[in-house]
Amino acid sequence: MGEQKRKQDSKGDFIFGKKNYKFMLIGLACIVIGFILMSGGGSDDPNVFDPSIFSWRRIRLAPTLVLIGFGFQVYAILLNPNKTKSKEKK
């Protein structure tokens, strides 16, 4: 009996809360934008050097956005969704 009740109680629960998923989507968007900004800058002819691969956008901005996105992902995973609910119950 106890195990059936536990299974019924846990069926409707998600691991993460709504706030966690919002932060995950923000982080994913930052990562995608960073990789999009990092792309390009190549040359079709291997004998021609294109200095645009060393632009500020590709060297500084894009990797920073990717790292910020990963930071959001870590924060979203570590965020406790039940923090406010536990205070209300007490």
Coordinates of all heavy atoms in Angstrom, one line a residue:
M1 N 0.8 -1.2 0.0 CA 0.0 0.0 0.0 C 0.9 1.3 0.0 O 0.6 2.2 -0.7 CB -0.9 0.0 1.2 CG -2.1 -0.9 1.2 SD -3.2 -0.5 -0.1 CE -4.3 0.7 0.7
G2 N 1.9 1.3 0.8 CA 2.7 2.5 0.9 C 3.4 2.8 -0.4 O 3.6 4.0 -0.8
E3 N 3.9 1.8 -1.1 CA 4.6 2.1 -2.4 C 3.6 2.6 -3.5 O 4.0 3.4 -4.3 CB 5.3 0.8 -2.9 CG 6.1 1.0 -4.1 CD 7.1 -0.1 -4.3 OE1 7.5 -0.8 -3.4 OE2 7.5 -0.2 -5.5
Q4 N 2.4 2.1 -3.5 CA 1.4 2.6 -4.5 C 1.1 4.1 -4.2 O 1.0 4.9 -5.2 CB 0.1 1.8 -4.4 CG 0.2 0.4 -5.0 CD -1.0 -0.4 -4.8 OE1 -2.0 0.0 -4.1 NE2 -1.1 -1.5 -5.5
K5 N 1.0 4.4 -3.0 CA 0.7 5.8 -2.7 C 1.9 6.7 -3.1 O 1.7 7.8 -3.6 CB 0.4 6.0 -1.2 CG 0.1 7.4 -0.8 CD -0.7 7.5 0.5 CE -1.0 8.9 0.9 NZ -1.9 9.6 0.1
R6 N 3.1 6.3 -2.8 CA 4.3 7.0 -3.2 C 4.4 7.2 -4.7 O 4.7 8.3 -5.2 CB 5.5 6.3 -2.6 CG 6.8 7.1 -2.8 CD 8.0 6.5 -2.3 NE 8.1 5.1 -2.9 CZ 8.8 4.2 -2.5 NH1 9.5 4.3 -1.4 NH2 8.9 3.0 -3.1
K7 N 4.0 6.2 -5.5 CA 4.0 6.3 -6.9 C 3.0 7.3 -7.4 O 3.2 8.0 -8.3 CB 3.8 4.9 -7.6 CG 5.0 4.0 -7.5 CD 4.7 2.7 -8.2 CE 5.9 1.8 -8.1 NZ 5.7 0.5 -8.8
Q8 N 1.8 7.3 -6.8 CA 0.7 8.2 -7.2 C 1.1 9.6 -6.8 O 0.9 10.5 -7.6 CB -0.6 7.8 -6.5 CG -1.2 6.6 -7.0 CD -2.4 6.2 -6.1 OE1 -2.7 6.8 -5.1 NE2 -3.1 5.2 -6.6
D9 N 1.8 9.8 -5.7 CA 2.2 11.2 -5.3 C 3.3 11.7 -6.3 O 3.3 12.9 -6.5 CB 2.7 11.2 -3.9 CG 1.6 11.0 -2.9 OD1 0.4 11.2 -3.3 OD2 1.9 10.6 -1.7
S10 N 4.2 10.9 -6.8 CA 5.3 11.4 -7.6 C 5.0 11.4 -9.0 O 5.8 11.9 -9.8 CB 6.5 10.5 -7.3 OG 6.2 9.2 -7.9
K11 N 3.8 11.0 -9.5 CA 3.5 11.0 -10.9 C 3.4 12.4 -11.5 O 3.8 12.7 -12.6 CB 2.3 10.2 -11.2 CG 2.5 8.7 -11.3 CD 1.3 8.0 -11.8 CE 1.6 6.5 -11.9 NZ 0.4 5.7 -12.3
G12 N 2.8 13.3 -10.8 CA 2.5 14.7 -11.3 C 3.7 15.6 -11.0 O 3.6 16.8 -11.5
D13 N 4.7 15.2 -10.4 CA 5.8 16.2 -10.0 C 6.9 16.2 -11.1 O 7.3 15.1 -11.6 CB 6.4 15.8 -8.7 CG 5.5 16.0 -7.5 OD1 4.5 16.7 -7.7 OD2 5.7 15.3 -6.5
F14 N 7.4 17.4 -11.4 CA 8.5 17.5 -12.3 C 9.8 17.7 -11.4 O 9.7 18.1 -10.3 CB 8.4 18.7 -13.2 CG 7.4 18.5 -14.3 CD1 6.1 19.2 -14.3 CD2 7.6 17.7 -15.4 CE1 5.2 19.0 -15.3 CE2 6.7 17.5 -16.4 CZ 5.5 18.2 -16.4
I15 N 10.9 17.3 -12.0 CA 12.1 17.5 -11.2 C 12.4 19.0 -11.0 O 12.8 19.4 -9.9 CB 13.3 16.8 -12.0 CG1 13.1 15.3 -12.1 CG2 14.6 17.1 -11.3 CD1 14.1 14.6 -12.9
F16 N 12.2 19.8 -12.1 CA 12.5 21.2 -12.0 C 11.2 22.0 -12.0 O 10.1 21.5 -12.5 CB 13.3 21.7 -13.2 CG 14.7 21.0 -13.2 CD1 15.1 20.3 -14.3 CD2 15.6 21.2 -12.2 CE1 16.3 19.7 -14.4 CE2 16.8 20.6 -12.2 CZ 17.2 19.9 -13.3
G17 N 11.2 23.2 -11.4 CA 10.1 24.0 -11.4 C 10.0 24.9 -12.7 O 10.9 24.9 -13.5
K18 N 9.0 25.8 -12.7 CA 8.8 26.7 -13.9 C 10.0 27.6 -14.0 O 10.4 28.0 -15.1 CB 7.5 27.4 -13.7 CG 7.0 28.2 -14.9 CD 5.6 28.7 -14.6 CE 5.1 29.4 -15.8 NZ 3.8 30.0 -15.6
K19 N 10.4 28.1 -12.8 CA 11.6 29.1 -12.8 C 12.8 28.4 -13.3 O 13.6 29.1 -14.1 CB 11.8 29.5 -11.4 CG 12.6 30.8 -11.2 CD 12.6 31.2 -9.8 CE 13.3 32.5 -9.6 NZ 13.3 33.0 -8.2
N20 N 13.1 27.2 -13.0 CA 14.2 26.5 -13.5 C 14.2 26.4 -15.0 O 15.2 26.6 -15.7 CB 14.3 25.0 -13.0 CG 14.5 25.0 -11.5 OD1 13.5 25.2 -10.7 ND2 15.7 24.8 -11.0
Y21 N 13.1 26.0 -15.6 CA 13.0 25.9 -17.1 C 13.2 27.3 -17.7 O 13.7 27.3 -18.8 CB 11.7 25.3 -17.5 CG 11.6 23.8 -17.1 CD1 10.7 23.3 -16.2 CD2 12.5 22.9 -17.7 CE1 10.7 21.9 -15.9 CE2 12.5 21.6 -17.5 CZ 11.6 21.1 -16.6 OH 11.6 19.7 -16.3
K22 N 12.7 28.3 -17.1 CA 12.9 29.7 -17.7 C 14.4 30.0 -17.8 O 14.9 30.5 -18.8 CB 12.2 30.7 -16.9 CG 10.7 30.8 -17.1 CD 10.1 31.9 -16.2 CE 8.6 31.9 -16.3 NZ 8.0 32.9 -15.5
F23 N 15.1 29.7 -16.7 CA 16.6 30.0 -16.7 C 17.3 29.1 -17.7 O 18.3 29.5 -18.3 CB 17.2 29.8 -15.3 CG 17.0 31.1 -14.5 CD1 16.1 31.0 -13.4 CD2 17.7 32.2 -14.7 CE1 15.9 32.2 -12.6 CE2 17.5 33.4 -14.0 CZ 16.6 33.3 -12.9
M24 N 16.8 27.8 -17.9 CA 17.4 26.9 -18.8 C 17.2 27.4 -20.2 O 18.1 27.4 -21.1 CB 16.8 25.5 -18.7 CG 17.4 24.7 -17.6 SD 16.7 23.1 -17.6 CE 17.3 22.4 -16.1
L25 N 16.0 28.0 -20.5 CA 15.8 28.5 -21.9 C 16.6 29.7 -22.1 O 17.1 29.9 -23.3 CB 14.3 28.8 -22.1 CG 13.4 27.5 -22.2 CD1 11.9 27.9 -22.3 CD2 13.8 26.7 -23.4
I26 N 16.8 30.6 -21.1 CA 17.6 31.8 -21.3 C 19.0 31.4 -21.6 O 19.7 31.9 -22.4 CB 17.5 32.7 -20.0 CG1 16.1 33.3 -19.9 CG2 18.6 33.8 -20.0 CD1 15.8 34.0 -18.6
G27 N 19.5 30.4 -20.8 CA 20.9 29.9 -21.0 C 21.1 29.3 -22.4 O 22.1 29.5 -23.0
L28 N 20.1 28.5 -22.8 CA 20.2 27.9 -24.1 C 20.2 28.9 -25.2 O 21.0 28.8 -26.2 CB 19.0 26.9 -24.3 CG 19.0 26.1 -25.6 CD1 20.2 25.2 -25.6 CD2 17.8 25.3 -25.8
A29 N 19.4 30.0 -25.1 CA 19.4 31.1 -26.1 C 20.7 31.8 -26.1 O 21.2 32.1 -27.2 CB 18.2 32.0 -25.7
C30 N 21.3 32.0 -25.0 CA 22.7 32.7 -24.9 C 23.7 31.8 -25.6 O 24.5 32.3 -26.4 CB 23.1 32.9 -23.5 SG 22.3 34.3 -22.7
I31 N 23.7 30.5 -25.4 CA 24.6 29.6 -26.0 C 24.4 29.6 -27.5 O 25.4 29.7 -28.3 CB 24.5 28.2 -25.4 CG1 24.9 28.2 -24.0 CG2 25.3 27.2 -26.2 CD1 24.6 26.9 -23.2
V32 N 23.2 29.5 -28.0 CA 22.9 29.5 -29.4 C 23.4 30.8 -30.1 O 24.0 30.7 -31.1 CB 21.4 29.2 -29.7 CG1 21.1 29.4 -31.1 CG2 21.1 27.7 -29.3
I33 N 23.0 31.9 -29.5 CA 23.5 33.2 -30.0 C 25.0 33.3 -30.1 O 25.5 33.8 -31.1 CB 22.8 34.3 -29.2 CG1 21.3 34.4 -29.5 CG2 23.4 35.7 -29.6 CD1 20.6 35.3 -28.6
G34 N 25.6 32.8 -29.0 CA 27.1 32.8 -29.0 C 27.7 32.0 -30.1 O 28.6 32.5 -30.8
F35 N 27.2 30.8 -30.4 CA 27.7 30.0 -31.5 C 27.4 30.6 -32.8 O 28.2 30.5 -33.8 CB 27.2 28.6 -31.4 CG 28.0 27.7 -30.4 CD1 27.5 27.3 -29.2 CD2 29.3 27.4 -30.7 CE1 28.3 26.6 -28.3 CE2 30.1 26.6 -29.9 CZ 29.6 26.2 -28.7
I36 N 26.3 31.2 -33.0 CA 25.9 31.9 -34.2 C 26.9 33.0 -34.5 O 27.4 33.2 -35.6 CB 24.5 32.4 -34.3 CG1 23.5 31.2 -34.4 CG2 24.2 33.3 -35.4 CD1 22.1 31.5 -34.1
L37 N 27.2 33.8 -33.5 CA 28.1 34.9 -33.6 C 29.5 34.5 -33.9 O 30.3 35.2 -34.5 CB 28.1 35.8 -32.4 CG 26.9 36.7 -32.1 CD1 27.0 37.4 -30.8 CD2 26.6 37.7 -33.3
M38 N 29.9 33.3 -33.4 CA 31.2 32.7 -33.6 C 31.4 32.2 -35.1 O 32.5 32.0 -35.5 CB 31.4 31.6 -32.6 CG 32.8 31.6 -32.0 SD 33.1 30.2 -30.9 CE 31.9 30.6 -29.6
S39 N 30.3 31.9 -35.7 CA 30.5 31.2 -37.0 C 30.9 32.2 -38.1 O 30.7 33.4 -38.0 CB 29.1 30.5 -37.4 OG 28.1 31.5 -37.6
G40 N 31.3 31.7 -39.2 CA 31.6 32.5 -40.4 C 33.1 32.9 -40.4 O 33.9 32.5 -39.6
G41 N 33.4 33.8 -41.3 CA 34.8 34.4 -41.3 C 35.8 33.6 -42.1 O 36.9 33.9 -42.2
G42 N 35.3 32.5 -42.7 CA 36.3 31.7 -43.5 C 36.4 32.2 -44.9 O 35.7 33.1 -45.3
S43 N 37.3 31.6 -45.6 CA 37.6 32.0 -47.0 C 37.4 30.8 -47.9 O 37.8 29.6 -47.5 CB 39.0 32.5 -47.1 OG 39.3 32.8 -48.5
D44 N 36.8 31.0 -49.1 CA 36.7 29.9 -50.0 C 38.0 29.4 -50.6 O 38.2 28.2 -50.9 CB 35.7 30.3 -51.1 CG 34.3 30.5 -50.6 OD1 33.9 29.9 -49.5 OD2 33.5 31.3 -51.2
D45 N 38.9 30.3 -50.8 CA 40.2 30.0 -51.3 C 41.2 29.9 -50.2 O 41.4 30.8 -49.4 CB 40.6 31.2 -52.3 CG 41.9 30.9 -53.0 OD1 42.3 29.7 -53.0 OD2 42.4 31.8 -53.6
P46 N 41.8 28.7 -50.1 CA 42.8 28.5 -49.0 C 44.0 29.3 -49.1 O 44.8 29.5 -48.1 CB 43.1 27.0 -49.0 CG 42.7 26.6 -50.4 CD 41.6 27.5 -50.9
N47 N 44.3 29.9 -50.2 CA 45.5 30.7 -50.4 C 45.3 32.2 -50.0 O 46.2 32.9 -50.0 CB 46.0 30.6 -51.9 CG 46.4 29.2 -52.3 OD1 47.0 28.5 -51.5 ND2 46.1 28.8 -53.5
V48 N 44.0 32.5 -49.7 CA 43.7 33.9 -49.4 C 43.4 34.0 -47.9 O 42.6 33.2 -47.4 CB 42.5 34.4 -50.2 CG1 42.2 35.8 -49.7 CG2 42.8 34.4 -51.7
F49 N 44.1 34.9 -47.2 CA 43.9 35.0 -45.7 C 42.8 36.1 -45.5 O 42.8 37.2 -46.1 CB 45.2 35.5 -45.0 CG 45.0 35.7 -43.6 CD1 44.8 34.7 -42.7 CD2 45.0 37.0 -43.1 CE1 44.7 34.9 -41.3 CE2 44.8 37.2 -41.7 CZ 44.7 36.2 -40.8
D50 N 41.9 35.7 -44.6 CA 40.8 36.7 -44.3 C 40.9 37.1 -42.8 O 40.7 36.3 -41.9 CB 39.4 36.0 -44.5 CG 38.3 36.9 -44.4 OD1 38.5 38.2 -44.3 OD2 37.1 36.4 -44.3
P51 N 41.3 38.3 -42.6 CA 41.5 38.8 -41.2 C 40.2 38.9 -40.4 O 40.3 39.2 -39.2 CB 42.2 40.1 -41.3 CG 41.8 40.6 -42.7 CD 41.6 39.4 -43.5
S52 N 39.1 38.7 -41.0 CA 37.8 38.9 -40.2 C 37.6 37.8 -39.2 O 36.8 37.9 -38.3 CB 36.6 39.0 -41.1 OG 36.4 37.7 -41.8
I53 N 38.4 36.7 -39.2 CA 38.3 35.6 -38.2 C 38.8 36.1 -36.9 O 38.5 35.5 -35.9 CB 39.0 34.4 -38.6 CG1 40.5 34.6 -38.8 CG2 38.5 33.8 -39.9 CD1 41.3 33.3 -39.0
F54 N 39.6 37.2 -36.8 CA 40.1 37.7 -35.6 C 39.3 39.0 -35.1 O 39.8 39.8 -34.4 CB 41.5 38.1 -35.7 CG 42.4 36.9 -36.0 CD1 43.1 36.8 -37.2 CD2 42.5 35.9 -35.1 CE1 43.9 35.7 -37.5 CE2 43.3 34.8 -35.4 CZ 44.0 34.7 -36.6
S55 N 38.0 39.1 -35.6 CA 37.2 40.2 -35.2 C 36.8 40.2 -33.7 O 36.8 39.1 -33.1 CB 36.0 40.3 -36.0 OG 35.1 39.3 -35.7
W56 N 36.5 41.3 -33.1 CA 36.2 41.4 -31.7 C 34.9 40.5 -31.4 O 34.8 39.9 -30.3 CB 35.9 42.8 -31.4 CG 35.5 43.1 -29.9 CD1 36.4 43.2 -28.9 CD2 34.2 43.1 -29.4 NE1 35.7 43.4 -27.7 CE2 34.3 43.3 -28.0 CE3 32.9 43.0 -29.9 CZ2 33.3 43.4 -27.1 CZ3 31.8 43.1 -29.0 CH2 32.0 43.3 -27.7
R57 N 34.0 40.5 -32.3 CA 32.8 39.7 -32.2 C 33.1 38.2 -32.0 O 32.5 37.5 -31.1 CB 31.9 39.9 -33.4 CG 30.5 39.2 -33.2 CD 29.8 39.3 -34.5 NE 30.3 38.3 -35.4 CZ 30.0 38.2 -36.7 NH1 29.1 39.0 -37.2 NH2 30.5 37.2 -37.4
R58 N 34.0 37.7 -32.8 CA 34.3 36.2 -32.8 C 35.3 35.8 -31.6 O 35.2 34.7 -31.1 CB 34.9 35.8 -34.1 CG 33.9 35.8 -35.2 CD 34.4 35.2 -36.4 NE 33.4 35.2 -37.5 CZ 33.3 36.1 -38.4 NH1 34.2 37.0 -38.5 NH2 32.3 36.0 -39.3
I59 N 36.1 36.8 -31.2 CA 37.2 36.5 -30.2 C 36.7 36.7 -28.8 O 37.0 36.0 -27.9 CB 38.5 37.2 -30.5 CG1 39.0 36.9 -31.9 CG2 39.5 37.0 -29.4 CD1 39.5 35.4 -32.0
R60 N 35.9 37.8 -28.6 CA 35.5 38.2 -27.3 C 34.1 38.0 -27.0 O 33.7 37.4 -25.9 CB 35.9 39.7 -27.0 CG 37.3 40.1 -27.3 CD 38.1 39.9 -26.2 NE 39.5 40.4 -26.5 CZ 40.5 40.2 -25.8 NH1 40.3 39.7 -24.6 NH2 41.7 40.6 -26.2
L61 N 33.2 38.5 -27.8 CA 31.8 38.6 -27.5 C 31.1 37.2 -27.5 O 30.4 36.8 -26.6 CB 31.0 39.5 -28.5 CG 29.5 39.6 -28.4 CD1 29.2 40.3 -27.0 CD2 29.0 40.4 -29.5
A62 N 31.4 36.4 -28.6 CA 30.7 35.1 -28.7 C 31.1 34.1 -27.6 O 30.3 33.5 -27.0 CB 31.0 34.5 -30.1
P63 N 32.4 34.0 -27.3 CA 32.8 33.0 -26.2 C 32.2 33.5 -24.9 O 31.8 32.7 -24.0 CB 34.3 33.0 -26.2 CG 34.7 33.4 -27.6 CD 33.6 34.4 -28.0
T64 N 32.2 34.8 -24.7 CA 31.6 35.3 -23.4 C 30.1 35.0 -23.3 O 29.7 34.6 -22.2 CB 31.8 36.9 -23.3 OG1 33.2 37.2 -23.5 CG2 31.3 37.4 -22.0
L65 N 29.4 35.1 -24.4 CA 28.0 34.8 -24.4 C 27.8 33.3 -24.1 O 26.9 32.9 -23.4 CB 27.3 35.1 -25.7 CG 26.8 36.5 -25.8 CD1 26.3 36.8 -27.2 CD2 25.6 36.7 -24.9
V66 N 28.6 32.4 -24.7 CA 28.5 31.0 -24.5 C 28.8 30.7 -23.0 O 28.0 29.9 -22.4 CB 29.5 30.2 -25.4 CG1 29.6 28.8 -25.0 CG2 29.1 30.4 -26.8
L67 N 29.8 31.3 -22.4 CA 30.1 31.0 -21.0 C 29.0 31.5 -20.1 O 28.6 30.9 -19.1 CB 31.4 31.7 -20.6 CG 32.7 31.0 -21.2 CD1 33.9 31.8 -20.8 CD2 32.8 29.6 -20.7
I68 N 28.4 32.7 -20.4 CA 27.2 33.2 -19.7 C 26.1 32.2 -19.8 O 25.4 32.0 -18.8 CB 26.9 34.6 -20.1 CG1 27.9 35.6 -19.7 CG2 25.5 35.0 -19.6 CD1 27.8 37.0 -20.3
G69 N 25.9 31.7 -21.0 CA 24.8 30.7 -21.2 C 25.0 29.5 -20.3 O 24.1 28.9 -19.7
F70 N 26.2 29.0 -20.3 CA 26.5 27.8 -19.4 C 26.3 28.2 -17.9 O 25.9 27.3 -17.2 CB 27.9 27.3 -19.7 CG 28.1 26.5 -20.9 CD1 29.0 26.8 -21.9 CD2 27.2 25.4 -21.2 CE1 29.1 26.0 -23.0 CE2 27.3 24.7 -22.3 CZ 28.3 25.0 -23.3
G71 N 26.7 29.4 -17.6 CA 26.4 29.8 -16.2 C 24.9 29.8 -15.8 O 24.6 29.4 -14.8
F72 N 24.1 30.3 -16.8 CA 22.7 30.2 -16.6 C 22.2 28.7 -16.4 O 21.3 28.4 -15.6 CB 21.9 30.9 -17.7 CG 21.7 32.3 -17.5 CD1 22.3 33.3 -18.3 CD2 20.7 32.8 -16.6 CE1 22.1 34.6 -18.1 CE2 20.5 34.1 -16.4 CZ 21.2 35.0 -17.2
Q73 N 22.8 27.8 -17.2 CA 22.4 26.4 -17.1 C 22.7 25.9 -15.8 O 21.9 25.2 -15.2 CB 23.1 25.6 -18.2 CG 22.7 26.0 -19.6 CD 21.2 25.6 -20.0 OE1 20.6 24.8 -19.3 NE2 20.7 26.1 -21.0
V74 N 23.9 26.1 -15.3 CA 24.3 25.6 -14.0 C 23.4 26.2 -12.9 O 23.0 25.5 -12.0 CB 25.8 25.9 -13.7 CG1 26.2 25.7 -12.2 CG2 26.7 25.1 -14.6
Y75 N 23.1 27.5 -13.0 CA 22.2 28.1 -12.0 C 20.8 27.5 -12.0 O 20.2 27.2 -11.0 CB 22.2 29.6 -12.2 CG 21.2 30.3 -11.3 CD1 21.6 30.5 -10.0 CD2 20.0 30.8 -11.7 CE1 20.7 31.2 -9.1 CE2 19.1 31.4 -10.8 CZ 19.5 31.6 -9.5 OH 18.7 32.3 -8.7
A76 N 20.3 27.2 -13.2 CA 19.0 26.7 -13.4 C 18.9 25.2 -12.8 O 17.9 24.9 -12.2 CB 18.6 26.6 -14.8
I77 N 20.0 24.5 -12.9 CA 20.0 23.1 -12.3 C 20.1 23.2 -10.8 O 19.5 22.4 -10.1 CB 21.2 22.4 -12.9 CG1 20.9 22.1 -14.4 CG2 21.4 21.1 -12.2 CD1 22.1 21.5 -15.2
L78 N 20.9 24.1 -10.3 CA 21.1 24.2 -8.8 C 20.0 24.9 -8.1 O 19.9 24.8 -6.9 CB 22.5 24.8 -8.5 CG 23.7 24.1 -9.0 CD1 24.9 24.8 -8.7 CD2 23.7 22.7 -8.4
L79 N 19.2 25.7 -8.8 CA 18.1 26.4 -8.2 C 17.1 25.5 -7.6 O 16.6 24.5 -8.2 CB 17.4 27.3 -9.2 CG 16.3 28.2 -8.8 CD1 16.9 29.3 -7.8 CD2 15.7 28.9 -9.9
N80 N 16.7 25.7 -6.3 CA 15.7 24.9 -5.6 C 14.3 25.3 -5.9 O 13.9 26.4 -5.5 CB 16.0 24.9 -4.1 CG 15.2 23.9 -3.4 OD1 14.4 23.2 -3.9 ND2 15.4 23.9 -2.1
P81 N 13.5 24.5 -6.7 CA 12.2 25.0 -7.0 C 11.2 25.0 -5.8 O 10.2 25.6 -5.8 CB 11.7 24.0 -8.1 CG 12.5 22.8 -7.8 CD 13.8 23.3 -7.3
N82 N 11.5 24.2 -4.8 CA 10.6 24.1 -3.6 C 11.0 25.0 -2.5 O 10.5 24.9 -1.4 CB 10.7 22.6 -3.1 CG 10.2 21.7 -4.2 OD1 9.3 22.0 -5.0 ND2 10.8 20.5 -4.2
K83 N 11.9 26.0 -2.7 CA 12.3 26.8 -1.6 C 11.2 27.7 -1.1 O 11.0 27.8 0.1 CB 13.4 27.8 -2.2 CG 14.1 28.5 -1.1 CD 15.3 29.3 -1.7 CE 16.1 30.0 -0.7 NZ 17.2 30.7 -1.2
T84 N 10.4 28.3 -1.9 CA 9.3 29.1 -1.5 C 8.1 28.3 -0.9 O 7.5 28.7 0.0 CB 8.7 30.0 -2.6 OG1 8.3 29.2 -3.7 CG2 9.8 31.0 -3.0
K85 N 7.9 27.1 -1.5 CA 6.8 26.2 -1.0 C 7.1 25.7 0.4 O 6.2 25.6 1.2 CB 6.7 25.1 -1.9 CG 6.1 25.5 -3.3 CD 6.0 24.3 -4.2 CE 5.5 24.7 -5.5 NZ 5.4 23.5 -6.4
S86 N 8.4 25.4 0.7 CA 8.7 24.9 2.1 C 8.5 26.0 3.1 O 8.2 25.7 4.3 CB 10.1 24.4 2.1 OG 11.1 25.4 1.9
K87 N 8.8 27.3 2.8 CA 8.5 28.3 3.8 C 7.1 28.5 4.1 O 6.7 28.8 5.2 CB 9.1 29.6 3.3 CG 10.6 29.7 3.3 CD 11.2 31.0 2.8 CE 12.7 31.0 2.8 NZ 13.2 32.3 2.2
E88 N 6.2 28.3 3.0 CA 4.8 28.5 3.2 C 4.2 27.4 4.1 O 3.2 27.6 4.8 CB 4.1 28.6 1.9 CG 4.4 29.8 1.1 CD 3.8 29.7 -0.3 OE1 3.2 28.7 -0.7 OE2 4.0 30.7 -1.1
K89 N 4.7 26.2 4.0 CA 4.2 25.1 4.7 C 4.5 25.2 6.2 O 3.8 24.6 7.1 CB 4.7 23.8 4.2 CG 4.2 23.4 2.8 CD 4.7 22.1 2.4 CE 4.2 21.7 1.0 NZ 4.7 20.5 0.5
K90 N 5.6 25.8 6.6 CA 6.0 25.9 8.0 C 5.3 26.9 8.8 O 4.5 27.7 8.7 CB 7.5 26.2 8.1 CG 8.3 25.0 7.6 CD 9.8 25.3 7.8 CE 10.6 24.2 7.4 NZ 12.0 24.4 7.5

